[in-house]
Amino acid sequence: MTFKHLIFAILATGALSSCVSNDKKTDVEWVPSFSDFNSQGYWTDCFNPSANQVVVGDLCFSHHVESYEYDGATYSSWFGFCPSRVNDTADHSDDWTSHQWASIAGGGVGGADSPYVVACWNTGDANSCTLTLADHGVFYPDDLYVTNTSYAYYAMKNGTAFSHAFGPDDRCLLEITGYLNGVKKQVKVEVYLAHGTDILNTWKNIEVSKLGSVDTLVFTMNSTDSGQWGMNTPAYFCIGSMGYTEMTDYNN
C-alpha cells in the first residue's frame, strides 16, 4: 500500500515541493491555483446552473444552483461550495445578498489576497455540502481550517430580520461526517462556529483524523436559532485549507 500526503491550501498561485521519507510514503506540500474569479472576487460560475461541482487542485467540492420565478422575474440561489478571494469584513446588513462570499478573517489562511472556499449549506438537503478527491479515491483527512463568513458572523452578533442576536445559551455548530463506500462513519467532528456570544472570527485549525479512511466528507450545520423551516442563522462557513493523506492500492 502506498501513501501520499497532500496539504490542500487554496492560494492564488501554484507551487509544488516534495521529499521522500521512505520507500512507502512521499510527503508533498502542494499549493493549487484558482483564478476563475469575477470582478467581485468570487467564482465566475457560482450562478451557472450547469456547474454542479468545482474542482480546486485535487479536491472536488459540491455545487448546485436553483432558479425560481417571482413577480415576473427569474432569480437564482446557490448551495454547496464557491471559491472566493473577497477580503471585505464590513457589516453589509443592508444588502447581504450581494456580499455572501467574504470570510470574516479578511481573506484566506495565507492572508488578505489568498483564496478560500465559502460554503452555503441547504437546510433542506443534508448532503448539499460534500467534499471528495477529484479522482474519487480514498483518503485520510488530517486537519482543516474553518471560519465564519462575514454574513454569518454579523447575523449571530447583531441579529437580522430573520434571526436573533446570539445570547449566552446559543450555539452554532459545523458538523463533519465521513463516508466510505456509502457507509457512514460512527464518529463525527463538531466545530463551534459560535458558542454563546463567542463567535469565531479567525481561521481555526480543526483535527479530523478520527474520521479515519473516507471517500467523502459531508458538512452539515446546527443552530439553536432554528424554526420549522430549519436554521434561521445564515447557513454559511468557510474552509481555508485541508491536510490529508491520499491512499492508493486501497483494499477495503
Side-chain angles (χ1 to χ4, degrees):
M1 186 178 295
T2 302
F3 297 90
K4 182 172 64 174
H5 184 258
L6 301 174
I7 302 296
F8 163 66
I10 305 172
L11 301 178
T13 60
L16 179 66
S17 61
S18 64
C19 61
V20 178
S21 57
N22 54 51
D23 60 354
K24 292 186 178 181
K25 183 175 180 179
T26 303
D27 292 330
V28 180
E29 184 173 351
W30 185 31
V31 182
S33 63
F34 192 89
S35 58
D36 294 333
F37 297 110
N38 60 21
S39 59
Q40 286 77 37
Y42 61 89
W43 182 35
T44 55
D45 281 336
C46 185
F47 289 105
N48 183 351
S50 64
N52 58 10
Q53 64 182 28
V54 54
V55 176
V56 183
D58 280 349
L59 298 185
C60 181
F61 298 86
S62 61
H63 187 80
H64 177 67
V65 175
E66 295 181 356
S67 297
Y68 56 95
E69 302 286 333
Y70 179 75
D71 198 23
T74 301
Y75 299 89
S76 296
S77 57
W78 66 277
F79 300 101
F81 294 91
C82 177
S84 175
R85 61 181 181 190
V86 178
N87 57 19
D88 178 14
T89 61
D91 184 352
H92 292 281
S93 296
D94 57 334
D95 181 20
W96 279 119
T97 301
S98 301
H99 298 88
Q100 308 172 48
W101 299 275
S103 82
I104 190 60
V109 174
D113 294 325
S114 62
Y116 50 96
V117 170
V118 175
C120 180
W121 181 61
N122 184 350
T123 59
D125 179 5
N127 293 317
S128 60
C129 289
T130 63
L131 186 161
T132 66
L133 296 187
D135 63 4
H136 303 290
V138 178
F139 63 100
Y140 281 110
D142 182 17
D143 65 340
L144 53 83
Y145 281 85
V146 301
T147 194
N148 279 302
T149 63
S150 295
Y151 181 17
Y153 174 82
Y154 286 113
M156 289 185 282
K157 181 179 179 180
N158 302 323
T160 70
F162 307 101
S163 62
H164 66 243
F166 271 31
D169 297 327
D170 282 306
R171 306 286 186 272
C172 183
L173 279 173
L174 172 63
E175 300 170 331
I176 307 169
T177 307
Y179 286 78
L180 181 61
N181 297 325
V183 178
K184 183 178 181 179
K185 292 302 184 87
Q186 296 300 308
V187 297
K188 65 180 178 181
V189 175
E190 294 184 335
V191 183
Y192 278 106
L193 298 175
H195 192 283
T197 58
D198 183 12
I199 306 169
L200 183 63
N201 62 0
T202 60
W203 288 107
K204 182 175 183 179
N205 184 253
I206 306 300
E207 176 67 45
V208 293
S209 60
K210 71 177 183 179
L211 296 175
S213 59
V214 301
D215 54 36
T216 305
L217 292 180
V218 177
F219 299 82
T220 58
M221 299 183 71
N222 187 294
S223 174
T224 51
D225 184 7
S226 297
Q228 62 175 333
W229 305 113
M231 284 176 53
N232 296 323
T233 305
Y236 292 78
F237 61 93
C238 300
I239 298 177
S241 67
M242 189 177 84
Y244 62 94
T245 303
E246 184 177 5
M247 301 177 64
T248 60
D249 301 325
Y250 176 79
N251 293 313
N252 188 17

